[in-house]
Amino acid sequence: MTTAQLTAIDATVDKTNRLLSEIEHELGWPAQRRQQSYSALAAVLHTLRDRLPLAEVVQLAAQLPLLVRGLYYEGWDATSAPTKLDRAEFVARVRRDFPFDVEGGAEQVIRTVSRVLRRHVSSGEWDDVLATVPVELRDLLAD
């Protein structure tokens, strides 16, 4: 492996760890809860991905760190996208995929992960994401 390849791998690991650390910080978790921050990120990303139109899925993915992009696409079935989810269904799905107790519940997890993601993608891209979801989800993702 070349030095450039190692540098790219190191950079994506660093970016991913920074994103997970931000989730932990916002939820008041110690770094020992890394698996839970990873699970929170996965639950929100997968639910959001499945709700977005195909073009928006790809555009959002392009701005994610490489490791997070792999997580984002994990288990994706593009043939069933987008899945229509109202707010209650969106929250229930995140809760199902993130089975840990958190103060504020699944809605707090969604708000926190969304806030962190917004800092790692362009504001124009996040605006595009918000424009593709129903108003009832927008306030949850735009907190």
Side-chain angles (χ1 to χ4, degrees):
M1 212 175 257
T2 68
T3 303
Q5 288 170 319
L6 286 176
T7 301
I9 290 169
D10 291 341
T12 193
V13 168
D14 182 57
K15 289 175 185 177
T16 301
N17 279 322
R18 194 170 336 126
L19 200 148
L20 294 171
S21 291
E22 289 177 28
I23 292 170
E24 292 156 4
H25 175 76
E26 292 217 8
L27 289 170
W29 295 348
Q32 293 82 3
R33 291 184 74 174
R34 179 59 43 104
Q35 184 58 45
Q36 288 181 2
S37 61
Y38 178 85
S39 293
L41 179 61
V44 173
L45 279 176
H46 289 168
T47 305
L48 181 60
R49 173 203 68 201
D50 291 349
R51 179 59 186 87
L52 296 175
L54 181 62
E56 198 55 46
V57 168
V58 174
Q59 290 170 12
L60 177 58
Q63 294 199 14
L64 298 173
L66 183 60
L67 285 177
V68 176
R69 192 176 317 146
L71 167 65
Y72 180 66
Y73 281 126
E74 181 180 37
W76 186 43
D77 178 8
T79 62
S80 65
T83 301
K84 301 296 183 193
L85 299 170
D86 65 22
R87 182 186 178 111
E89 292 165 328
F90 192 96
V91 171
R93 180 150 167 217
V94 169
R95 177 67 180 135
R96 180 197 75 201
D97 294 345
F98 181 76
F100 304 98
D101 289 326
V102 174
E103 187 174 330
E107 286 199 16
Q108 181 60 36
V109 170
I110 295 165
R111 289 178 194 283
T112 299
V113 171
S114 296
R115 209 170 23 252
V116 170
L117 285 171
R118 278 197 321 269
R119 292 194 295 257
H120 292 268
V121 300
S122 71
S123 60
E125 179 53 38
W126 198 256
D127 289 344
D128 289 349
V129 166
L130 295 177
T132 66
V133 298
V135 174
E136 62 182 357
L137 285 179
R138 233 173 267 155
D139 71 320
L140 186 61
L141 297 170
D143 181 61

